Amino acid sequence: MKLKLVVVGFLLFAFLGVNAQAPRIVYTEPEKEDSRRTEFEILGKLEGDVLVYKNNRSEHAISIYNEEMKLKEKVVMDFMPDRVFNVDYITYPDKVLFFYQYQRKRIVYCDYVAIGASGKPLANPVTLDTTEIGYSSSNKIYTVVNSDDKQKLMLFKVNSSNPRKFFITSFLYDADLKLLTRNFSEVAMDEKGDYFSDFHLSNAGELVVAKFTRAGNNSDFIAGVSMLIKHPDSLGFSIRNVEIGKQILDNLLMKIDNNNNRILLASFFSRQKRGNIEGLYLVNWDKGTNSKVMDSALVFNDEIRIQAKGTDANKKSAFNDFFIKNIFTRKDGGFVIVSEALYTTSRNNNFNRWDYMGWGNPWMSPMNYGYWSPIYSPYGMPWNRYGWNNAMQNRYFAENVLVISFGQQGNLEWSNVITKNQFDDESDNLISYGNMNTGGEVHFLFNTFERRTFVLTDQSLDPAGKITRYPTLKNLDKGYEFMPRFGKQVSARQIIIPCLYRNYLCFARVDF
């Protein structure tokens, strides 16, 4: 039986034929106010037009591009107040739910508005919640998470002013922003070493998070893990010990598998403190019984170490630069884990994974900020999306991508590597990769450095783990530098990728 991978979100494997036609690329024209410092979000595609949110020096607007990526209209969001310090969005076929946070005097507001295909509000903005604070905030207080089917979403905030007890206020909504439940929960924390993973929302409306304890002088490894699940009709979290055994874990990544009513946890592990990465630790947690039904520790052999880093690398330390990026699930109970080799150097220091683990998680305790919400980094490391002028000169590296497929019981099925060697100075925006699913294969899009120029490269992976290396993409106009990791797939055969042209921010539509 052919392996069929189904990935919730943008990565969906279905066994179809490969389309050999070269992708077509269409660019937007540079706009004088859009620089490399412009904040942006690719909202998606509505009624054939592409919507992009932009923020230039506190001017908020939605640019609407037609099929040929010509600017059709720029809609100024004049309802947006001053001091907006965070935006979130959820895109549906007919609308975009746009959330934004701002402060007026001592009050932080979280508002939302529904945006139509015209880029204009479908109704007046609505305030969902307010919080009184005693300081001027530049960090978001509220976090918005949504279920995979987008039929439920949750707004929550965490009061961490008491380092031994966090207070979580949560609001569960349906897709029309009708309030379903509102709850106030307490979670006991160890003042010195407790952390949270990212929060997730299941299709059933359950809020799920892992709490883990770091130990050691620099808080650089995980000594214990608990699973926290809050059901829609419960007042607090159900807390269960995961019992990870003797494995020393670093960063946990979680995925809710709605098709199989379970939660997957994954982490690289070592056998000793600050030791070399030995393998991959996996947990299968059943949501129905709220218990662990399987865990396994895959020890990487020499074959997979050479595969991941090459024959010239030190096999013992081959995985010390790898970080887990994604967990993708299949309907048959199998799953795929994608990791990437990432590190940075400076004039004064070479950072290793333990340096990142010590301060890279924003859910650390104690907080002493009053309220806090997680800062998402697509690297799993504390790198800055707009880190153009760091005081210390940094060189960022993004190298091979390892893809491992597992069966329902956590048995290894296959592994393969997308080979690349990227680096850039002062910013990580042009390195790493973006994904495009075309049905029969998943494309990994990334820049390679050729003749002193970044060139967009395409390699794909099929459901059996076979890699296809495609020729350089056509219509790569000279002067455009792609930022593929910020790309967004907007339809079955289209992805929008931001790019730079002579320091101007532009966007490219790539048709597969």
Side-chain angles (χ1 to χ4, degrees):
M1 180 178 181
K2 294 179 180 177
L3 180 63
K4 183 178 180 182
L5 299 179
V6 177
V7 174
V8 178
F10 67 84
L11 190 63
L12 176 66
F13 285 171
F15 202 76
L16 301 173
V18 175
N19 184 356
Q21 184 177 356
R24 175 174 177 255
I25 303 178
V26 183
Y27 301 92
T28 64
E29 293 291 334
E31 299 175 41
K32 62 180 181 179
E33 66 271 19
D34 292 346
S35 71
R36 61 170 60 213
R37 295 184 181 277
T38 298
E39 297 181 7
F40 67 89
E41 297 289 349
I42 301 169
L43 300 181
K45 192 172 184 179
L46 299 182
E47 296 183 5
D49 295 331
V50 174
L51 276 62
V52 178
Y53 160 79
K54 300 176 187 176
N55 177 18
N56 282 305
R57 295 179 295 277
S58 297
E59 181 192 77
H60 305 270
I62 293 178
S63 294
I64 304 175
Y65 299 98
N66 63 18
E67 274 293 328
E68 295 304 315
M69 296 304 286
K70 301 295 184 183
L71 182 62
K72 187 175 179 180
E73 187 176 2
K74 177 182 175 181
V75 181
V76 177
M77 306 170 76
D78 51 12
F79 58 86
M80 296 279 279
D82 295 333
R83 294 205 61 195
V84 172
F85 47 78
N86 186 77
V87 298
D88 295 287
Y89 68 95
I90 304 173
T91 303
Y92 294 86
D94 60 341
K95 63 183 177 182
V96 177
L97 297 182
F98 192 83
F99 304 83
Y100 54 99
Q101 298 175 46
Y102 59 96
Q103 183 174 359
R104 286 178 177 165
K105 296 182 179 180
R106 297 168 58 92
I107 306 298
V108 173
Y109 296 79
C110 183
D111 291 6
Y112 96 94
V113 63
I115 303 292
S118 65
K120 299 176 182 178
L122 298 176
N124 292 328
V126 176
T127 297
L128 296 175
D129 192 50
T130 61
T131 300
E132 183 176 357
I133 60 177
Y135 55 92
S136 179
S137 177
S138 59
N139 294 316
K140 69 176 185 176
I141 286 178
Y142 296 92
T143 298
V144 178
V145 292
N146 60 273
S147 59
D148 286 339
D149 62 6
K150 298 184 180 181
Q151 295 307 298
K152 291 183 175 62
L153 59 97
M154 180 173 284
L155 176 75
F156 69 90
K157 59 184 177 181
V158 179
N159 186 332
S160 57
S161 56
N162 181 351
R164 293 191 175 275
K165 186 177 292 185
F166 284 8
F167 300 93
I168 302 175
T169 305
S170 60
F171 306 83
L172 180 65
Y173 299 93
D174 64 14
D176 296 319
L177 265 296
K178 177 183 177 182
L179 182 64
L180 301 177
T181 63
R182 181 183 187 276
N183 290 117
F184 180 79
S185 307
E186 299 179 6
V187 178
M189 304 291 286
D190 185 323
E191 183 176 357
K192 295 183 179 180
D194 277 1
Y195 298 71
F196 282 154
S197 71
D198 288 338
F199 285 70
H200 297 262
L201 188 67
S202 72
N203 287 351
E206 301 148 329
L207 184 62
V208 180
V209 64
K211 186 179 75 168
F212 55 94
T213 301
R214 289 202 183 278
N217 294 332
N218 296 316
S219 297
D220 55 12
F221 66 92
I222 294 174
V225 180
S226 298
M227 182 71 70
L228 280 66
I229 302 177
K230 184 193 170 302
H231 298 272
D233 56 353
S234 63
L235 297 178
F237 285 87
S238 172
I239 303 175
R240 298 287 188 273
N241 185 11
V242 177
E243 298 179 356
I244 63 174
K246 297 182 179 180
Q247 281 75 226
I248 296 175
L249 311 182
D250 57 25
N251 238 19
L252 283 174
L253 200 66
M254 176 188 294
K255 172 67 178 180
I256 297 178
D257 182 2
N258 290 289
N259 290 319
N260 295 284
N261 198 37
R262 65 176 179 175
I263 303 163
L264 295 172
L265 287 176
S267 173
F268 288 120
F269 74 89
S270 58
R271 298 295 190 187
Q272 59 185 10
K273 300 175 184 178
R274 301 178 72 88
N276 292 321
I277 295 299
E278 300 285 345
L280 191 62
Y281 179 68
L282 306 170
V283 173
N284 182 343
W285 191 272
D286 184 81
K287 287 204 295 104
T289 61
N290 199 13
S291 63
K292 182 173 65 176
V293 296
M294 179 277 292
D295 69 350
S296 63
L298 171 68
V299 177
F300 294 137
N301 56 29
D302 287 350
E303 180 182 356
I304 196 170
R305 289 176 180 276
I306 293 173
Q307 184 184 39
K309 268 294 197 180
T311 55
D312 296 332
N314 185 332
K315 288 185 291 186
K316 289 185 178 180
S317 61
F319 279 90
N320 289 1
D321 295 327
F322 274 83
F323 290 80
I324 299 174
K325 299 286 290 292
N326 299 102
I327 303 174
F328 300 117
T329 59
R330 305 200 309 254
K331 282 186 176 180
D332 66 358
F335 53 96
V336 173
I337 292 180
V338 181
S339 62
E340 185 178 18
L342 301 162
Y343 61 96
T344 183
T345 63
S346 72
R347 290 177 177 177
N348 302 318
N349 192 16
N350 291 339
F351 295 104
N352 59 42
R353 78 183 302 107
W354 304 114
D355 296 321
Y356 295 122
M357 293 304 104
W359 55 274
N361 191 302
W363 283 104
M364 67 184 67
S365 169
M367 298 286 190
N368 297 326
Y369 288 102
Y371 287 88
W372 193 260
S373 282
I375 302 170
Y376 172 73
S377 167
Y379 277 80
M381 295 194 292
W383 291 5
N384 184 2
R385 174 170 174 177
Y386 301 102
W388 297 102
N389 292 308
N390 297 319
M392 180 172 59
Q393 183 177 0
N394 292 326
R395 173 164 287 186
Y396 299 95
F397 293 83
E399 298 180 347
N400 292 353
V401 177
L402 175 66
V403 184
I404 308 178
S405 178
F406 295 91
Q408 184 176 15
Q409 302 304 317
N411 53 298
L412 176 64
E413 295 179 332
W414 54 260
S415 64
N416 214 334
V417 169
I418 303 291
T419 303
K420 61 184 181 69
N421 187 355
Q422 302 169 290
F423 69 89
D424 200 9
D425 294 326
E426 302 309 317
S427 170
D428 54 36
N429 291 352
L430 299 175
I431 61 176
S432 195
Y433 65 90
N435 284 117
M436 172 70 188
N437 160 46
T438 56
E441 55 189 350
V442 171
H443 295 259
F444 287 75
L445 304 173
F446 56 90
N447 288 318
T448 55
F449 203 64
E450 299 179 8
R451 297 180 182 179
R452 301 181 181 180
T453 304
F454 283 111
V455 177
L456 188 63
T457 302
D458 178 15
Q459 295 187 25
S460 71
L461 194 68
D462 74 6
K466 177 185 175 182
I467 292 176
T468 301
R469 293 173 174 84
Y470 287 95
T472 302
L473 273 67
K474 303 291 185 181
N475 296 342
L476 288 175
D477 288 0
K478 186 177 181 180
Y480 286 89
E481 294 181 320
F482 287 80
M483 297 186 283
R485 73 184 179 96
F486 297 117
K488 181 180 179 66
Q489 184 168 349
V490 296
S491 68
R493 293 280 174 175
Q494 287 183 352
I495 184 173
I496 305 299
I497 303 178
C499 48
L500 296 173
Y501 180 77
R502 297 178 180 175
N503 286 329
Y504 289 98
L505 174 69
C506 300
F507 297 88
R509 193 195 75 218
V510 183
D511 297 339
F512 285 79

